Amino acid sequence: GSDDIIAGNVSKYTVLPAGYCGQPKKGHLVFDACFESGNLGRVDHITEFEYDLFIRPDTCNPRFRVWFNFTVENVKESQ
């Protein structure tokens, strides 16, 4: 599938809506998996409240994604 091309972890990746220009605002989520056991490979913005997350395969078995580990920052209270 398309997630086979995921090579590394996202590192302090700010997800902005399509067409948005300017500095990130509160609610523009920042994803990070650049730490030991982090495995988030890609994030796609769908809506303010919906994101598609692509988890990298497990180290010892590329067919499976048994766990996930990443952080999210810059959330709004209602988000």
Side-chain angles (χ1 to χ4, degrees):
S2 64
D3 57 344
D4 291 341
I5 60 173
I6 297 172
N9 289 326
V10 296
S11 179
K12 293 289 182 182
Y13 178 68
T14 303
V15 182
L16 300 172
Y20 179 83
C21 295
Q23 294 295 316
K25 298 178 182 177
K26 193 74 167 172
H28 291 158
L29 301 185
V30 179
F31 291 86
D32 187 26
C34 195
F35 50 85
E36 186 175 350
S37 77
N39 67 339
L40 181 61
R42 190 174 99 210
V43 179
D44 293 345
H45 179 269
I46 306 301
T47 70
E48 179 183 3
F49 302 103
E50 183 179 354
Y51 296 81
D52 283 344
L53 306 178
F54 295 84
I55 304 301
R56 290 181 35 249
D58 291 352
T59 302
C60 295
N61 193 337
R63 293 179 47 214
F64 296 103
R65 286 149 181 88
V66 177
W67 53 272
F68 54 91
N69 194 5
F70 57 90
T71 64
V72 181
E73 301 172 4
N74 201 36
V75 297
K76 291 190 298 189
E77 184 177 327
S78 63
Q79 201 171 16

